[in-house]
Amino acid sequence: MNTKAVFIGALGAICINATASAYDGYNIPCSDGGSGSCICDTGACLDETWDDTLGTFMCGSGKGGSYSCNCIDAQFNKTITFTCGCYSDSDCGGSISYGCINNRCAKCKSCSGASTGAWTAHSTGYEKRTVKKCSCNGTLTTGTEYRCAAGYYGTTSNGTSGCTRCPASGGIYGTSAAGSTAITACYLPSGTAFSDAAGSGTYTGDCYYKN
């Protein structure tokens, strides 16, 4: 870390700052007239910015696995620790064990009842399943996931659009595994009879669609 100058603010709040500017407000560096670009002196999260609304530092998604940052209060010779602020779970480093609770990065709470149901028919070309997940704040949320059914391909988020039927050859539609996303997953299965200008016969192996 580069060496940075230390300044004492008007009310004693100390913070190390890349531009060597003083910040006022005891125990609330960068607020009440600060420029909002205060950088902590210790801790693994770098390039922190102060959020006046949340009253804490936004710590750059918990860099280095750290979810707090420290500033030195030289007047009382002690270290002030700030828990990293956040707006969403992704602000807390993307860890499944940490998330955003009340605008602070915190260890996620546990809950019971998480489960993933079996895929069932939804509508023509679509399947669905029920998924129960534990949110970071410890509540159980229930949602529905969708996918394309066998014989279709694509992606869908609503179970009503996004899936396309596999193309046909000689009047016979191809098939695919459920959940296929690309047309190249479509095929005519082994044993399917074919007839074209070149002749007729039976496929001795699965014949996949080629782009």
Side-chain angles (χ1 to χ4, degrees), residues 53-76:
T53 302
L54 299 184
T56 190
F57 285 98
M58 307 303 288
C59 300
S61 300
K63 294 179 182 179
S66 174
Y67 298 96
S68 63
C69 53
N70 303 319
C71 279
I72 295 175
D73 179 350
Q75 183 177 8
F76 290 92

Side-chain angles (χ1 to χ4, degrees), residues 50-122:
W50 179 263
D51 188 305
D52 276 330
T53 302
L54 299 184
T56 190
F57 285 98
M58 307 303 288
C59 300
S61 300
K63 294 179 182 179
S66 174
Y67 298 96
S68 63
C69 53
N70 303 319
C71 279
I72 295 175
D73 179 350
Q75 183 177 8
F76 290 92
N77 191 28
K78 67 178 182 179
T79 298
I80 307 167
T81 299
F82 294 89
T83 300
C84 295
C86 56
Y87 299 109
S88 64
D89 290 346
S90 61
D91 293 331
C92 299
S95 169
I96 60 173
S97 60
Y98 268 79
C100 190
I101 302 177
N102 297 326
N103 293 118
R104 295 293 188 276
C105 290
K107 189 172 182 63
C108 290
K109 300 176 182 179
S110 61
C111 74
S112 60
S115 64
T116 300
W119 288 105
T120 60
H122 175 58

